[in-house]
Amino acid sequence: MKPFIIYLFPVALGCMLTACGGDKPEVAKDENALSDSLVKNVQTAPATFENPSETIKLNGKIVPDETRKAKVYALVSGKIRSVNVELGDYVKQGQLLAVLQSTEVAGISNDVSVAESNVALAKKNAETQKSLFEGNLATQQDYLAAQIEEKKAQSELNRARSVASITGGSSSAYTLKAPISGYVIEKNISNNSEVRQDNSVNLFTVADLNTVWIIANVYEADIPAIKLGDEVRVTTLANPEKDYIGKIDKVYNVLDPANRTMQVRISMQNTSGELKPEMFATVKVNTKPAATSMLSIPANAVVMDNSKQYVVVKTAKGLEIREVKVIRRIDDRAYISGLQVNEQVVTSSQVFIYDALNTK
């Protein structure tokens, strides 16, 4: 990219910088003096060689352990008659969550009753045919046919009972029960609402939070430094003074195309309940130190534009835009290529200066 060099700043840019919190330049009578004052007073920092820190900081959030989480759906349609729990409640396995009134359940209960009656009738008929056959008053074929009908009736009863056990309903009531012990972390129903059988949205989610996952994002430049089993220290906004120690136990070897990051997982014991789903977390990974030093600048000096990275450099001639490549970003430092050591990068109002230079 051809550098943009500024020699004269218009009065409007001076006002913009002043409004954005930059040092207010002294008022001058001509544009040259005003321009010199702006260039002189802009805040800068030098590009220096540094050894990257042994610690890489990642951003992440706490989510339930997927192996200890269960979603609850309704297998029949109906109307919610009662909801027995609220979001955040602790429930035990088998505890009643809600009750639906369902015509489908009523039909299934009726099928069971009819099947039981048919079994009793077929069994009685088979006993009668047996007695007649033994007294030579019925043929063997009649007796075999009665036995077959009894078996068919019993099979139909077994099927009806299986359907009833799957739905978990009786009469016209369909009950939703907690499949595991844990906390209700999702609730999507209320009293008197309607539920359809083809509804793809779960009604409840129950999670055992004695173990949680921290899912952290790794920038593309940091991927080579992250390994399975790396020790990490996790902190949260709710308790920033406390470190939770763990290890990376899963590396998801795919990149999110939207933000160019890869995810890693840390399983963490949470018997105290301090770590709650959706909390933001800072994950610091202990890695091996870099073998060589790298050129470093303040991370806030970097300006993103069209997926490229730029800085505004102060030179003897004025201010100019340079494209750089960010290799790593650790805390408030960016390790880059594209500059020379001791070159001064602008660290105040750099976005507005960048926009002004681009309009030249």
Side-chain angles (χ1 to χ4, degrees), residues 117-127 146 149-151 153:
S117 299
N118 289 339
V119 166
L121 181 62
K123 185 176 182 180
K124 185 65 176 177
N125 183 50
E127 291 175 353
E149 289 300 320
E150 182 183 4
K151 290 181 179 180

Side-chain angles (χ1 to χ4, degrees), residues 35 55 64 114 125 133 137 162-163 210 213 225 229 249 252 292-293 319-320 327 337 342:
S35 174
T55 301
V114 171
N125 183 50
F133 174 68
L137 297 176
S162 296
V163 172
N210 286 323
W213 289 350
D249 58 14
Y252 299 91
T292 58
S293 60
L319 301 175
E320 63 182 56
I327 301 171
S337 62
N342 291 327

Side-chain angles (χ1 to χ4, degrees), residues 94-111:
Q95 183 176 329
L96 184 65
L97 302 178
V99 179
L100 284 73
Q101 282 183 320
S102 172
T103 56
E104 293 177 30
V105 172
I108 292 170
S109 298
N110 182 68
D111 290 344

Side-chain angles (χ1 to χ4, degrees), residues 20 44 47 52-53 58 63 73 88 127 159 187 206 213 234 254 302-303 308 311:
C20 295
T44 62
S53 169
L58 310 176
V63 300
Y73 294 85
E127 291 175 353
R159 185 199 66 79
K187 172 175 169 283
V206 180
W213 289 350
V234 180
V254 293
V302 179
V303 179
K308 294 184 178 181
V311 294

